[in-house]
Amino acid sequence: MASQIEELMRRGTNRARDERLAVARYRKRARRGVSVLVHDIEPQSKRMRDADRDRFQTAVSEQMATFSRAPFNGPVALKIDLATTSRTAPQAHTIAKNLLDLLGKRRAGVPGMRRHLLYKNDAQIQALSVSCRHGEDYPMIHVAGRPLSALLDDMELAAEAIRVDEMENYGDVYRWDQEEEAMEDLRNLIRDERGQRERLGDDFYDAYFKMLRWSAQRALLGCSGIDIPVLGWMYGRPEGSTPILPPDQWALLIGRSKLRLQLGDLPITPGSSGAFKRRVEEEIAAFKQRWDWVISPLVIAVALQVVVRPSAATPAAVLHDLDNIVRDYLLPRIIPSFGTVTDHRWTIDFDELRRRDPVLADRWGPNPTPPPGTRQGVTRYEAWRLPPVEGGPGFVSVALVADMDGRGDTFDRIDECSRKWADAQSSTSGKRQRW
């Protein structure tokens, strides 16, 4: 009996030590990142004034120097948050293209600055998130970079925090089940429109239809994205563990999902980009044919989640930059095909709101939507490049993801969940020490 107690105490001591080490590594990783916040420069595309480009690069350079940071040498995870004030602001992906170029290489003629700023080449960016809000009162550019390995380590902690949270909160499953029922209710309403209109009346039918369509879109596109635990497994995390499925099998399952656009491998030979673009258009058409009864028209704001795994045979010289994939192949076809918008305020019928609830409408102010020219787009896009699998095919998998609950992008959720895990471990460790 005494030996059993000693063994339990030894295991508890080892676990507490491992937890303290994991928290210490987490705190250390947080110091490896670079965060630059600029408030007084309007985000712009390549048309940005030279003076503003120089000021932006100077701000990045000064931030790097303050923390004695050199440009990242290896794979990078990069997050860009933007706020524009211009009534003719460009789309987010054109702003991002300009900023990515400025972050990689300084402009000629800017004295006292390294040749490279945040990284040495766009090809280093292996995970990218770009968010933008138009029509704001003040301009803002926020750039946060970290080594990809640091983000993946935090992803492991986030997945553990999610696992614990899901065990403690069963109500969320029930809530999602309720929302998924809205899809079947919407289907039944459409099938029996004539009978339902006679029974409910036109006004009530129309209102009920709108409500069900909103719920059905939220349910459908709320489960189209790849969540943090599965994304971690696709990267082979946690390292040294035995996953439910190996990374190539997860990729196979994701590639079969009817909730995503499955585009095959990227073009790697001269002249093959045209065929890939046609593939994108064909997949969009097939997706719309499958789900048009739910998503046409879209009444919720959506983000774009892109997962890329290059073929192991892809030469490094022709590996596509993540931003180029989104900008050149995806957004120009997805935005007009689905009618996606840059802000959830575009999905609100303010004329109807003023008729039904003028007090609530007044709270939004006289001009509740961003400038008209900024309507078309997505609320954000994020792209992840998985490591190739020997013998496995390359693929591009894209999801329209419901973006209406303020949870932020995958980067934000990883940070929130990993911080929650670290705080919980620190609290538990402190209690053990007091005991």
Side-chain angles (χ1 to χ4, degrees):
M1 183 67 175
S3 61
Q4 292 178 341
I5 294 176
E6 290 176 356
E7 176 64 17
L8 289 174
M9 292 179 63
R10 184 185 65 81
R11 291 180 182 179
T13 301
N14 290 342
R15 184 171 65 252
R17 180 197 61 204
D18 292 343
E19 289 171 353
R20 288 196 300 271
L21 289 174
V23 171
R25 288 193 293 267
Y26 165 77
R27 307 291 186 202
K28 183 178 180 179
R29 284 196 301 273
R31 296 192 292 271
R32 297 174 65 191
V34 174
S35 179
V36 181
L37 180 62
V38 182
H39 278 297
D40 56 350
I41 298 176
E42 180 72 22
Q44 273 292 346
S45 60
K46 290 292 187 179
R47 294 180 296 176
M48 177 182 279
R49 297 182 307 168
D50 287 348
D52 284 345
R53 295 186 188 193
D54 294 344
R55 290 169 59 208
F56 173 73
Q57 289 196 317
T58 299
V60 176
S61 180
E62 290 176 349
Q63 183 77 355
M64 300 286 283
T66 298
F67 293 95
S68 301
R69 292 300 308 268
F72 293 112
N73 286 316
V76 175
L78 188 67
K79 176 177 170 61
I80 300 176
D81 290 319
L82 306 166
T84 73
T85 63
S86 172
R87 296 193 62 79
T88 58
Q91 291 186 323
H93 58 277
T94 63
I95 300 174
K97 170 59 177 174
N98 179 43
L99 297 182
L100 291 174
D101 290 343
L102 295 175
L103 289 168
K105 189 175 183 180
R106 69 168 172 82
R107 279 179 17 91
V110 181
M113 194 180 297
R114 290 189 180 99
R115 172 179 170 80
H116 299 287
L117 294 179
L118 197 61
Y119 43 79
K120 298 179 179 180
N121 192 298
D122 285 358
Q124 291 175 243
I125 302 174
Q126 301 295 297
L128 173 67
S129 175
V130 177
S131 304
C132 185
R133 283 183 61 86
H134 295 294
E136 297 296 285
D137 294 331
Y138 303 98
M140 184 270 291
I141 301 173
H142 181 212
V143 176
R146 71 185 97 174
L148 177 68
S149 59
L151 181 65
L152 296 182
D153 287 342
D154 285 348
M155 190 184 294
E156 288 188 23
L157 304 186
E160 175 62 16
I162 291 171
R163 184 189 67 82
V164 173
D165 187 63
E166 287 179 346
M167 292 178 63
E168 296 175 350
N169 296 280
Y170 299 102
D172 288 345
V173 176
Y174 176 70
R175 177 176 62 82
W176 280 108
D177 285 346
Q178 284 184 313
E179 292 196 349
E180 288 171 358
E181 289 175 3
M183 292 183 62
E184 187 61 27
D185 291 341
L186 178 64
R187 190 193 299 272
N188 293 334
L189 199 66
I190 293 172
R191 286 173 175 171
D192 188 28
E193 178 178 354
R194 182 175 178 179
Q196 294 288 356
R197 284 189 180 276
E198 291 177 355
R199 186 172 67 89
L200 302 174
D202 288 340
D203 289 344
F204 189 84
Y205 176 92
D206 290 340
Y208 187 46
F209 179 84
K210 289 180 180 179
M211 183 190 71
L212 284 182
R213 181 173 59 187
W214 182 91
S215 297
Q217 289 184 12
R218 189 175 188 270
L220 178 72
L221 303 182
C223 57
S224 61
I226 300 174
D227 61 13
I228 290 172
V230 174
L231 189 60
W233 293 330
M234 294 178 76
Y235 274 101
R237 296 299 187 101
E239 293 179 335
S241 67
T242 303
I244 299 175
L245 290 173
D248 58 327
Q249 292 299 309
W250 278 113
L252 183 63
L253 288 178
I254 296 301
R256 291 175 176 173
S257 171
K258 298 299 183 181
L259 299 181
R260 302 177 66 90
L261 304 175
Q262 310 294 355
L263 306 177
D265 201 0
L266 285 162
I268 59 175
T269 58
S272 60
S273 61
F276 185 79
K277 291 176 181 178
R278 289 191 295 274
R279 170 67 175 165
V280 174
E281 293 169 352
E282 291 168 358
E283 187 65 11
I284 289 174
F287 187 92
K288 292 190 68 176
Q289 184 177 18
R290 187 181 307 122
W291 299 111
D292 195 64
W293 63 277
V294 181
I295 64 173
S296 183
L298 277 174
V299 294
I300 64 172
V302 298
L304 205 65
Q305 185 196 62
V306 183
V307 178
V308 180
R309 189 181 75 185
S311 166
T314 303
V318 298
L319 204 61
H320 296 258
D321 293 342
L322 291 179
D323 191 62
N324 291 345
I325 296 170
V326 177
R327 187 182 68 253
D328 295 342
Y329 295 117
L330 302 180
L331 290 179
R333 291 158 184 81
I334 287 174
I335 292 172
S337 296
F338 292 99
T340 59
V341 295
T342 57
D343 194 290
H344 76 279
R345 287 171 289 180
W346 291 114
T347 66
I348 301 173
D349 187 338
F350 285 101
D351 291 335
E352 180 179 355
L353 182 62
R354 289 187 183 95
R355 290 193 300 269
R356 294 180 178 273
D357 193 337
V359 175
L360 178 59
D362 288 342
R363 294 177 184 172
W364 286 91
N367 299 303
T369 56
T374 65
R375 178 186 177 108
Q376 292 187 334
V378 290
T379 58
R380 69 171 188 273
Y381 63 87
E382 57 183 70
W384 302 80
R385 192 196 310 278
L386 302 174
V389 175
E390 192 64 38
F395 67 84
V396 178
S397 182
V398 182
L400 296 174
V401 181
D403 186 23
M404 51 193 304
D405 56 6
R407 296 176 63 203
D409 62 8
T410 306
F411 284 58
D412 291 331
R413 295 197 297 276
I414 288 173
D415 289 341
E416 178 186 356
C417 293
S418 58
R419 184 168 52 248
K420 178 179 179 180
W421 178 91
D423 290 345
Q425 302 311 310
S426 297
S427 175
T428 302
S429 177
K431 290 179 180 178
R432 288 190 184 126
Q433 290 177 0
R434 287 193 299 271
W435 180 79

